[in-house]
Amino acid sequence: MFKEKQADNTRRVVITGIGMVTPLGIGKEEFGKRLFSAETGIAQIKSFDTSSLSSHLGAEVTDFHPRDFISVKNMRRMDKISLMTAASTRLALNDADFQITAENRDRVGIVLGTAFGATDITVQFLRTLFTEGPSCVNPILVPNTVMNAAAGHTSIELGFRGVNTTVTHFAVSAENAIAYAAAEIRRGTADFIFAGGADILSEFYYRSLIKFHALSPQNKGKEESRPFDQDRNGMIAGEGCGIICLESLQSALARGRQPYCEIKGAGMGSSPTRPTAWPKNPEGIKNTLNRAMKNAGGSVNDIQAIFASANGDKILDAAEARAYAEIFDSAENKPFITSLKGATGESFSGGGIRACALALSMEKNILPPVVGLVNPLGPLAFVTGEKKELEIRKAVLAGISFGGTYAYLIFGK
Amino acid sequence: MKKRVVITGLGTLNALANNVPDFTRALREGVCGIGEIDLFDTAGFRSRTGGQIKNFNACDYLSHGFPTKRMSRTDKLCLAAALEALRDAGLYPPPEKLKEEIGVAIGGGAGGLLEAEEFYRDYIKRNGKNARFSTLSSLFCASSADCLASIFGFTGPKSTFMTACSAGATAIGYARDLIVSDHASIIVAGGVEPMSRLTYAAFNALKSVDPETCRPFDKNRAGLSLGEAAAIMVLESLESALDRGVRIYGEMMGYGITCDSFHMTAPDEQASGAVRSMLAAIRDSGLSIDDIDYINAHGTATPVNDVTETKAIREVFGKRAYAIPVSSTKSMHAHTLGASGALEGIVSVLALRHGFIPPTINYRQSDPQCDLDYVTTGTRKADLRCVLSNSFAFGGNNTTLIFGRYAERGAADV
């Protein structure tokens, strides 16, 4: 079953495993339970002192014990982002009930999205360089200053020798990574690819977001995360990693695995936007979602659910809500819209975590609610208050980034 | 039949030249672009040299009302190279009706780190007080692709790759895929990497830099020379290129990506990752080893890379390994990390187009472990059919690209 070497663009791509290390829990049981019961992972930041700062909340990963997932030998060389990635990938591997062997490892790969990489290590490295000089720099840190470190460490830990790529395009890093991975499976260059996203909440990164006025409370009101709410006032920073296991349908069936869902298609796009600014105009979103639906061979009428990108930002959420109102205006049944970021915070490469949630939702036919949403924007079908039971045949994962980049994925049963 | 993808525009700034015609001349003449660097103070480092871009004044390249004020040097370099490539491809100014068909794929590296290092210095020494956070807006390497797409108004797919030294090559491979799978008909693809203190300090700390000038495949090689570059190609579906009636430099035949899964900074001495990467690219291109007429090696000049790569080439090509010229143009333009795959992609395309093999310069003494034909005595004339270009990276990432001479194969092949 690992001999499908002929490139064949007709291979169907399915998700057969998920693994995650998130502020809502580690592993799919805990994550799923807390996700569907509308819990939040947002709390006072514990890993550094925020008393002198204007924001204090964050969605941090807690109770994470890398030793439960990673060999001690490799663990010593890894930084936080690599540990979260390796652990999530191990969980996805186990969930897919798949064993890496000397025979199959050359056709197993990883495509990871990370928006900012190891911002903690970069600062640590430069601190030595600038305060003690070049001769005091610790060479052990060097491998972890590059963005592709997490995927590299994970491959070493788990023995993947196939396709290995790191995508770093801000808030669409994970969505782009998943689209790329799906295309590789379809093309037949790999039999299994673990794809998703990972980012960490470092003090430096938190301070930077404050300086860019990205974090709640943008308008000096109450600090909280309220995606799609009329009274939203900025996002809450988060961290975490979510990884999905992709393989061809044929391979899943041959292994007797029931997939969570299928990746039907993807659309990617851009729109002229100021650097670091969220796009105000919904055109880029509309164009990209239309491309994705065309690529997946469907129309506005077959979508039941949208896992949105909205994070509580004034501009982003308004543009996204407007885009869906316009696109689904003609749809017979309006899709239900949810955003996880009221519970998980914004980790930019959170598309990986959201893809895991989407897979669980499609398996269980339940949509998680938008935590923090009280007064919704516009006449859209948001999931508010508590989870919603609903037959989901097709769902959309939305990736929207500041700087004007978009990646939409369509998932089907 | 798979869609064919061709190269219709090239643009670059690097240690050898600030445009493609000058770069071609320098490659033919075997010029060394590596020398003392003055972008920052090198006191205290193991080495003082590098392949720095010379005389780059953004205004000379981007005098058309481009909003360059807040851009990092990296973004400006990327934009300047992209402008050259777009002009070369007859796409500047971009035709309105093509904008939604044009995407961007960039292999990034240190991004706007050179400027941001000043920020970090303030941040670290004064704990964030008064540090100018606005310099961070172009810190991350995805900024270059954003600038490019926004300024030219492209609305196609956009992505940035960061797989260290193979990023530029990966971006070009991905661009080919986007065109084949109908996500776009034109992709502006390549890589950009600036010099920065962090990178310089990192490679010095690993003791992988030659204090003098790098000497790929030489017996006494002692490490790499760090460089910087912006290298951009316009990749286009053959159909679109024929439609527009533009010059075709060559064809993007295929690529391969693999992982060593061995060590973060050292190559696997068994060379398995490199072997599989070349084999995957040859298979993806639908070629055999007999079709490859020149190998543009990764050839960093670190003691272990050059032996490992040589071994990998021998394993992939068998006896033919000794009949294929292999050169490392890093001996001229230095190792440009995230941009190197794209820069050496341009070298490969120029070699195909102009029929020459650029030399490995600085080579003096042969190494019994490196026994291939490294083109050490000057440029050769050659009629090339296909060129293979290797990029191997930290993290065990390997990418191999293959470019071919464009040949008409009848309308059915488009």
Side-chain angles (χ1 to χ4, degrees):
Chain A
M1 80 189 154
F2 302 112
K3 301 290 177 236
E4 301 168 63
K5 303 232 159 122
Q6 209 55 39
D8 174 6
N9 273 314
T10 61
R11 301 212 315 180
R12 292 169 66 180
V13 184
V14 295
I15 300 178
T16 53
I18 57 175
M20 68 297 284
V21 172
T22 81
L24 274 184
I26 293 153
K28 72 172 184 179
E29 276 76 27
E30 189 191 2
F31 173 72
K33 192 170 134 258
R34 296 183 62 191
L35 176 75
F36 294 118
S37 52
E39 284 186 44
T40 182
I42 293 170
Q44 292 284 336
I45 297 256
K46 292 183 197 72
S47 60
F48 51 89
D49 178 20
T50 62
S51 57
S52 65
L53 305 175
S54 58
S55 298
H56 313 283
L57 298 180
E60 293 178 288
V61 168
T62 50
D63 292 321
F64 172 46
H65 307 288
R67 276 193 72 165
D68 297 348
F69 310 97
I70 302 163
S71 65
V72 175
K73 175 177 142 270
N74 289 329
M75 214 176 79
R76 283 178 303 154
R77 297 172 189 272
M78 294 192 196
D79 59 333
K80 189 176 170 190
I81 194 166
S82 301
L83 292 169
M84 292 199 309
T85 307
S88 302
T89 311
R90 166 86 70 195
L91 283 162
L93 186 73
N94 293 345
D95 188 39
D97 194 20
F98 174 57
Q99 302 287 329
I100 301 291
T101 65
E103 287 71 45
N104 66 28
R105 63 183 178 165
D106 289 354
R107 298 195 37 91
V108 180
I110 178 168
V111 182
L112 185 73
T114 179
F116 301 111
T119 46
D120 51 347
I121 303 293
T122 307
V123 171
Q124 193 185 341
F125 187 90
L126 287 171
R127 190 183 299 276
T128 314
L129 177 62
F130 291 148
T131 55
E132 296 166 49
S135 54
C136 298
V137 161
N138 181 357
I140 298 288
L141 286 182
V142 172
N144 292 336
T145 59
V146 290
M147 293 262 199
N148 57 326
H153 281 301
T154 302
S155 300
I156 292 171
E157 167 67 14
L158 298 172
F160 302 167
R161 303 208 308 177
V163 175
N164 184 310
T165 288
T166 299
V167 178
T168 171
H169 208 98
F170 300 132
V172 295
S173 300
E175 291 84 353
N176 266 346
I178 294 169
Y180 181 54
E184 290 300 292
I185 295 283
R186 199 164 286 133
R187 224 155 65 74
T189 45
D191 291 326
F192 289 82
I193 300 184
F194 292 80
D199 269 289
I200 53 161
L201 211 176
S202 71
E203 179 177 357
F204 168 74
Y205 155 85
Y206 194 79
R207 282 171 178 259
S208 308
L209 289 174
I210 290 177
K211 292 286 182 178
F212 279 98
H213 305 288
L215 296 188
S216 172
Q218 279 171 330
N219 60 359
K220 311 253 192 282
K222 188 178 169 207
E223 186 182 357
E224 56 190 345
S225 177
R226 306 181 69 172
F228 288 125
D229 196 287
Q230 291 178 24
D231 302 318
R232 68 197 181 282
N233 64 8
M235 67 187 206
I236 303 281
E239 65 179 352
C241 175
I243 298 287
I244 55 178
C245 171
L246 300 178
E247 65 182 297
S248 71
L249 177 62
Q250 200 185 348
S251 146
L253 294 177
R255 300 197 302 126
R257 295 293 302 168
Q258 174 68 36
Y260 286 94
C261 55
E262 178 180 0
I263 299 189
K264 304 286 282 183
M268 286 153 282
S270 319
S271 73
T273 308
R274 272 195 310 115
T276 72
W278 293 103
K280 281 197 175 91
N281 188 323
E283 284 313 305
I285 302 173
K286 286 165 65 183
N287 287 340
T288 309
L289 178 51
N290 279 326
R291 280 179 195 162
M293 288 190 294
K294 192 176 157 207
N295 184 256
S299 77
V300 291
N301 290 319
D302 21 77
I303 311 280
Q304 285 81 41
I306 299 176
F307 281 68
S309 197
N311 62 19
D313 185 84
K314 279 278 179 201
I315 296 168
L316 166 66
D317 295 19
E320 191 174 12
R322 212 176 115 200
Y324 299 149
E326 291 178 20
I327 271 200
F328 293 99
D329 184 41
S330 63
E332 287 149 24
N333 296 302
K334 312 289 183 216
F336 283 89
I337 300 171
T338 189
S339 165
L340 263 49
K341 294 178 188 173
T344 62
E346 172 64 278
S347 61
F348 296 101
S349 67
I353 297 172
R354 289 186 290 130
C356 292
L358 189 150
L360 278 177
S361 281
M362 292 198 76
E363 181 196 45
K364 297 175 191 294
N365 285 312
I366 308 173
L367 279 177
V370 189
V371 175
L373 175 56
V374 183
N375 303 310
L377 280 173
L380 289 159
F382 293 109
V383 185
T384 58
E386 56 179 38
K387 68 188 178 193
K388 176 160 187 67
E389 294 192 14
L390 165 86
E391 159 88 24
I392 311 165
R393 292 180 304 279
K394 261 192 193 168
V396 169
L397 182 69
I400 304 173
S401 182
F402 54 86
T405 318
Y406 313 89
Y408 273 76
L409 292 155
I410 313 272
F411 296 76
K413 273 252 152 73
Chain B
M1 187 74 192
K2 201 156 86 177
K3 252 194 183 181
R4 293 173 69 185
V5 175
V6 294
I7 291 110
T8 56
L10 300 174
T12 184
L13 292 95
N14 57 62
L16 285 179
N18 291 359
N19 59 60
V20 173
D22 289 351
F23 183 50
T24 314
R25 208 167 304 131
L27 287 172
R28 276 182 190 277
E29 289 167 6
V31 174
C32 185
I34 300 162
E36 295 269 322
I37 59 172
D38 61 10
L39 268 179
F40 48 83
D41 186 7
T42 53
F45 288 105
R46 191 163 170 261
S47 67
R48 288 170 171 239
T49 60
Q52 186 183 322
I53 294 171
K54 294 150 195 94
N55 308 318
F56 177 65
N57 182 359
C59 301
D60 302 342
Y61 300 83
L62 308 167
S63 55
H64 309 273
F66 286 99
T68 54
K69 217 166 116 188
R70 283 170 192 275
M71 280 185 201
S72 64
R73 179 163 177 274
T74 306
D75 289 349
K76 289 178 207 168
L77 287 168
C78 186
L79 203 56
L83 191 61
E84 185 187 11
L86 287 167
R87 281 207 173 102
D88 194 30
L91 287 169
Y92 187 79
E96 217 39 63
K97 67 175 170 51
L98 280 179
K99 283 183 179 175
E100 65 170 14
E101 284 295 326
I102 305 180
V104 181
I106 300 293
L113 194 56
L114 183 67
E115 290 83 354
E117 277 164 347
E118 296 298 331
F119 161 85
Y120 277 118
R121 197 193 292 269
D122 283 356
Y123 177 84
I124 286 159
K125 290 197 169 155
R126 295 189 290 170
N127 204 19
K129 290 198 180 66
N130 307 323
R132 282 182 56 228
F133 275 80
S134 61
T135 43
L136 291 183
S137 65
S138 59
L139 164 61
F140 290 95
C141 57
S143 165
S144 298
D146 279 0
C147 286
L148 220 155
S150 285
I151 285 170
F152 295 114
F154 302 148
T155 60
K158 179 167 58 175
S159 196
T160 302
F161 292 88
M162 172 51 198
T163 52
C165 311
S166 68
T170 302
I172 289 171
Y174 171 75
R176 196 283 309 260
D177 288 349
L178 283 179
I179 295 171
V180 170
S181 56
D182 270 332
H183 284 289
S185 59
I186 299 170
I187 303 282
V188 180
V192 58
E193 178 78 51
M195 281 272 190
S196 74
R197 295 171 194 82
L198 185 147
T199 326
Y200 208 73
F203 280 89
N204 272 282
L206 290 173
K207 297 198 165 53
S208 48
V209 272
D210 189 325
E212 306 300 325
T213 302
C214 71
R215 290 160 283 174
F217 303 110
D218 185 282
K219 190 179 181 201
N220 301 312
R221 66 189 178 279
L224 51 85
S225 291
L226 280 168
E228 57 175 3
I232 302 286
M233 281 185 189
V234 174
L235 271 74
E236 183 164 4
S237 71
L238 177 59
E239 196 180 358
S240 164
L242 292 177
D243 227 34
R244 298 196 304 115
V246 287
R247 174 202 39 219
I248 293 170
Y249 276 101
E251 183 167 354
M252 165 66 193
M253 304 297 292
Y255 76 114
I257 296 183
T258 64
C259 180
D260 283 357
S261 185
F262 175 73
H263 187 273
M264 287 300 284
T265 54
D268 172 4
E269 286 178 29
Q270 297 303 312
S272 158
V275 167
R276 286 181 291 112
S277 175
M278 284 187 263
L279 288 175
I282 292 169
R283 187 169 56 225
D284 182 46
S285 307
L287 298 169
S288 81
I289 55 166
D290 296 325
D291 297 312
I292 308 294
D293 290 332
Y294 162 53
I295 296 173
N296 185 286
H298 185 53
T300 52
T302 61
V304 61
N305 174 82
D306 293 4
V307 178
T308 313
E309 190 173 5
T310 298
K311 192 172 167 183
I313 292 171
R314 277 198 305 253
E315 190 169 330
V316 170
F317 290 91
K319 262 195 212 140
R320 188 171 158 73
Y322 296 93
I324 307 177
V326 177
S327 71
S328 169
T329 46
K330 285 187 176 76
S331 56
M332 294 182 262
H333 53 63
H335 188 0
T336 63
L337 310 178
S340 67
L343 182 62
E344 288 156 35
I346 290 180
V347 173
S348 306
V349 171
L350 291 171
L352 277 167
R353 170 83 185 168
H354 300 294
F356 74 101
I357 296 172
T360 305
I361 65 166
N362 310 328
Y363 182 94
R364 284 174 218 105
Q365 203 174 347
S366 63
D367 176 351
Q369 287 187 281
C370 297
D371 56 354
L372 303 176
D373 171 10
Y374 301 111
V375 198
T376 54
T377 53
T379 305
R380 277 184 216 161
K381 265 191 172 174
D383 194 18
L384 306 173
R385 293 164 302 157
C386 290
V387 175
L388 179 148
S389 175
N390 280 330
S391 296
F392 308 138
F394 275 11
N397 295 64
N398 311 297
T399 305
T400 300
L401 300 176
I402 297 179
F403 298 94
R405 184 166 56 193
Y406 168 65
E408 284 178 48
R409 288 187 230 147
D413 276 356
V414 169

